[in-house]
Amino acid sequence: MSTPIIHLTSKGKNLIIHPPLSGVSLIGTIRVPGDKSISHRALMLGAIARGQTTIEGLLLGEDPRSTASCFRTMGAEISQLNSKKVIVQGVGLNNLSEPPDILKAGNSGTTLRLMLGLLAASRGRFFTVTGDNSLRSRPMGRVVKPLQQMGASIWGRKNHSLAPLAIKGEQLQSIHYHSPIASAQVKSSILLAGLLTEGKTTVTEPAISRDHSERMLKAFGAELTVDREVKSVTITGGTELTGQTVIVPGDISSAAFWLVAGAIVPGSELLIENVGVNPTRTGIIEALAMMEADIQLENQREVAGEPVADLRVRHGELKGCTIEGNLIPRLIDEIPILAVAAAFAQGTTLIKDAAELRVKESDRLAVIASQLNAMGAKTTELPDGLEIVGGVLLTGTEVKSYDDHRITMSLAIAALNAKEKTTIYGAQAAAISYPDFVDTLTLTVQSS
Ligand code: S3P
């Protein structure tokens, strides 16, 4: 019996990918799990709304599980997580109960940062929040500082910028915050604090970041205005949210692995159905189009306030390009897999203005450069990006995920197109955002 091309060992901790000499191709129609950003927001807004929220298509990854567990601890009733239907009975505006224990955000920056806005404004209650090793080293000052300007009381290591954090809920004052970074987590945290604060709270950002909070807050009944010209959002505090039905589209950040796999692996054609194509998230499609990838958007439609499409990708030769500026926040989570695309493209790809990647689940610039180079790629780390000289044949070897879900999956796609065997240590990290990744990979891979 021949060895399978893809297999997991050590109870799913290590992923081995060993393409035959003749290579592989990826063929099929697939669906990706629910959008992670929308899943977090649906659980949170459902938890603080009055009445019942029904969520269809929720991501069943570890990150939304952390959000659900935190809000259950504060009184929201959330049914068992299930992608068909999750029911949330909300507690109502400014009515989260004081948790009897530490709130655990696991690996999830979105859980911790968005929740901080709500906790800081929950007058009269005390909270402690923490996360895993990675999250405890990620910067929280970016939300703590503006919340302090609103009057928040938050304590933690390194001048209150690192979890574990202790929070004493206060009556906050509304502010106009000019964020130095284009971050949806920062924007959303302040908007959620603003929801519980009298008056108008405005956030202005240097470039537009994902707008799922704005869309969903409006759908739940919040008084919110967006001024795209000046890149600002204003929320008027004090409006009770009402439970809604949320239909979560497939996550374009998960689809990105298949877009790149389909583009770089010879003989491939994949149709990825039901993917969210919110314009604040489609930077990956634009970057791959700049690299001359063959990608088509089919069956474009709107589902519960979010644009959705089916994405078809076919293999073709890619060309290097420059990715920078306002495009970066629109593909921030896709840079590791874009680096893989660049490694297989002709010519040089330059990624700039992406220093934010250094404070994600891992230092994604350092990690993707070192791990791709271990496979023979020519990647140079820049202070705020990467320079990748493409078209070099990659060879499988032993690489590490650094417990980062997007690094695991990016290396798996690179391994499909490399000669010889790749072993990815720490592959269980994929379950943070994509529990079925290896199953889908196994189903779509065919020997050439
Ligand atoms: C997210 C925003 C982004 C992104 C993260 C999810 C969100 O982070 O990287 O995976 O759901 O708001 P930043 O806001 O820090 O850029």
Side-chain angles (χ1 to χ4, degrees):
M1 211 174 76
S2 62
T3 355
I5 299 166
I6 296 156
H7 60 285
L8 285 161
T9 62
S10 305
K11 295 192 181 143
K13 283 199 178 130
N14 307 331
L15 174 60
I16 297 174
I17 299 189
H18 193 172
L21 267 180
S22 53
V24 294
S25 49
L26 293 155
I27 305 281
T29 299
I30 55 179
R31 287 200 166 220
V32 289
D35 187 279
K36 181 154 81 67
S37 295
I38 297 176
S39 296
H40 283 300
R41 287 158 172 81
L43 288 166
M44 284 191 200
L45 296 196
I48 60 166
R50 177 177 289 167
Q52 177 170 309
T53 288
T54 303
I55 311 170
E56 289 174 32
L58 188 89
L59 165 65
L60 304 180
E62 287 171 21
D63 272 9
R65 289 186 192 281
S66 296
T67 293
S69 136
C70 289
F71 283 85
R72 280 187 187 122
T73 313
M74 294 187 286
E77 279 174 40
I78 304 175
S79 68
Q80 270 207 345
L81 299 196
N82 166 325
S83 64
K84 289 241 154 54
K85 210 174 255 186
V86 174
I87 308 286
V88 184
Q89 298 292 348
V91 297
L93 194 72
N94 205 350
N95 204 24
L96 288 168
S97 53
E98 186 174 273
D101 203 349
I102 301 169
L103 298 168
K104 295 184 182 123
N107 190 246
S108 175
T110 308
T111 307
L112 186 42
R113 294 197 177 111
L114 269 58
M115 196 166 63
L116 270 177
L118 290 171
L119 306 187
S122 293
R123 185 164 33 120
R125 283 146 283 173
F126 291 83
F127 308 89
T128 44
V129 293
T130 193
D132 70 5
N133 284 338
S134 155
L135 192 58
R136 278 185 276 109
S137 66
R138 294 180 65 188
M140 295 301 139
R142 55 183 55 198
V143 289
V144 170
K145 279 204 191 102
L147 291 172
Q148 283 172 333
Q149 283 177 28
M150 295 176 80
S153 297
I154 302 173
W155 296 268
R157 293 170 298 138
K158 278 239 174 119
N159 199 22
H160 318 305
S161 71
L162 290 180
L165 294 168
I167 301 109
K168 175 174 171 261
E170 304 277 11
Q171 174 141 21
L172 303 183
Q173 284 111 48
S174 56
I175 55 167
H176 183 162
Y177 185 62
H178 293 268
S179 177
I181 41 175
S183 159
Q185 293 181 356
V186 171
K187 174 174 65 179
S188 307
S189 181
I190 300 165
L191 291 176
L192 289 174
L195 175 70
L196 304 190
T197 302
E198 240 174 68
K200 289 182 190 299
T201 296
T202 302
V203 185
T204 301
E205 35 181 8
I208 289 177
S209 64
R210 64 191 68 191
D211 67 356
H212 305 299
S213 295
E214 293 90 309
R215 287 173 188 252
M216 208 186 287
L217 276 164
K218 266 194 192 165
F220 273 71
E223 215 179 294
L224 180 139
T225 53
V226 177
D227 187 338
R228 293 211 137 242
E229 278 289 283
V230 295
K231 305 184 192 79
S232 74
V233 188
T234 300
I235 191 162
T236 305
T239 309
E240 181 86 63
L241 304 185
T242 308
Q244 300 292 318
T245 293
V246 181
I247 300 171
V248 184
D251 197 328
I252 191 167
S253 296
S254 298
F257 300 106
W258 307 117
L259 291 177
V260 170
I264 64 172
V265 178
S268 297
E269 177 167 350
L270 291 170
L271 180 66
I272 315 153
E273 291 180 330
N274 191 43
V275 181
V277 286
N278 178 315
T280 61
R281 298 284 299 282
T282 46
I284 177 70
I285 296 178
E286 285 161 45
L288 288 171
M290 274 156 51
M291 298 176 88
E292 299 185 6
D294 179 356
I295 295 174
Q296 260 124 43
L297 272 71
E298 299 175 359
N299 192 16
Q300 295 193 49
R301 56 216 187 258
E302 184 146 325
V303 180
E306 288 277 351
V308 173
D310 301 335
L311 308 181
R312 188 180 294 280
V313 57
R314 293 188 187 87
H315 169 256
E317 191 168 287
L318 299 186
K319 303 224 163 46
C321 73
T322 297
I323 299 162
E324 61 186 339
N326 289 349
L327 191 53
I328 297 293
R330 296 178 50 235
L331 48 68
I332 190 75
D333 292 337
E334 287 68 78
I335 290 175
I337 190 63
L338 263 175
V340 172
F344 292 100
Q346 292 304 317
T348 300
T349 296
L350 193 59
I351 299 171
K352 297 196 293 195
D353 307 317
E356 268 296 300
L357 261 75
R358 296 206 180 274
V359 291
K360 294 292 179 188
E361 286 83 330
S362 69
D363 176 344
R364 287 185 172 158
L365 296 179
V367 170
I368 198 68
S370 66
Q371 302 309 292
L372 285 179
N373 286 351
M375 297 175 78
K378 283 196 187 161
T379 306
T380 310
E381 219 186 302
L382 310 172
D384 68 341
L386 297 168
E387 185 183 84
I388 304 140
V389 180
V392 186
L393 193 65
L394 300 197
T395 307
T397 184
E398 297 189 344
V399 288
K400 287 195 289 190
S401 75
Y402 287 78
D403 291 329
D404 184 328
H405 53 129
R406 302 206 195 277
I407 297 290
T408 305
M409 294 184 272
S410 300
L411 293 172
I413 301 304
L416 284 180
N417 229 12
K419 63 178 170 68
E420 296 174 20
K421 180 173 95 173
T422 300
T423 305
I424 304 168
Y425 293 106
Q428 77 286 346
I432 291 287
S433 62
Y434 203 155
D436 297 334
F437 175 75
V438 176
D439 292 342
T440 304
L441 188 58
T442 308
L443 282 175
T444 49
V445 162
Q446 303 185 353
S447 302
S448 301

